[in-house]
Amino acid sequence: ATGREQLYIKEYDILNTIEKAIHFVIAEARNKNVSIINNVTSLKLNFDEDRMIQVFTNLLSNAIKFVDEKAGEIRVSLENFPKHVLIYVEDNGKGIPEEDFNYIFDKFYQSKNQNTKKPQGSGFGLAICKHIVESHGGTIRAYEYVEKGAKFVVKLPK
């Protein structure tokens, strides 16, 4: 991929798109008894749906990896503003280690703190998310001071 992939932008309902992303990870979530709470409301926006599904699937599957079995909870919610929307993906997992925080969106970054059995490949796949969201004129960031877990916000223009 050259990073200049064609975007196929059309009008979609963001709620349906997020439901599709949840559908991709729901088996993984159920295996760990992790609940995903979708508080997103129906809203029409213009974006490339396949790409956005990729972004949210990635955020959700990262969250599933880092929450505790049986106690894990992931919430997806949306705030609607006149010129943009914010979509939050929050979890109650172990959060993002401070020393990793500034690097999580870098390509191929891998945390030293990953005590998972298998290597995660190229980090968290967040570099791809960032690229996709930015190609839509949006931003993606993580909140630094979260009491428990990780909190990501995707900002998309309207």
Side-chain angles (χ1 to χ4, degrees), residues 95-129:
I96 303 161
E98 221 173 301
E99 62 271 32
D100 296 339
F101 193 84
N102 294 321
Y103 307 104
I104 54 170
F105 291 103
D106 293 359
K107 262 198 175 101
F108 312 125
Y109 177 71
Q110 232 171 334
S111 170
K112 296 178 297 297
N113 294 289
Q114 283 176 349
N115 50 6
T116 39
K117 285 149 228 64
K118 55 183 195 303
Q120 308 277 81
S122 57
F124 307 101
L126 290 170
I128 297 154
C129 293

Side-chain angles (χ1 to χ4, degrees), residues 12-83:
Y12 295 99
D13 187 334
I14 191 70
L15 173 60
N16 292 345
T17 303
I18 290 190
E19 282 173 347
K20 288 177 187 175
I22 290 171
H23 179 76
F24 280 119
V25 299
I26 201 73
E28 201 186 334
R30 286 195 182 124
N31 286 343
K32 278 184 79 173
N33 287 311
V34 170
S35 53
I36 299 176
I37 296 141
N38 183 5
N39 294 323
V40 170
T41 43
S42 175
L43 182 69
K44 296 271 202 309
L45 291 170
N46 291 307
F47 53 87
D48 180 322
E49 189 176 50
D50 288 343
R51 295 271 187 263
M52 278 303 148
I53 288 172
Q54 211 181 330
V55 169
F56 291 110
T57 300
N58 192 294
L59 290 174
L60 290 164
S61 81
N62 280 342
I64 292 164
K65 276 185 197 108
F66 294 112
V67 296
D68 294 333
E69 278 194 48
K70 300 187 175 60
E73 195 176 272
I74 300 160
R75 289 176 181 275
V76 191
S77 55
L78 179 144
E79 266 190 294
N80 190 1
F81 293 95
K83 289 192 160 54

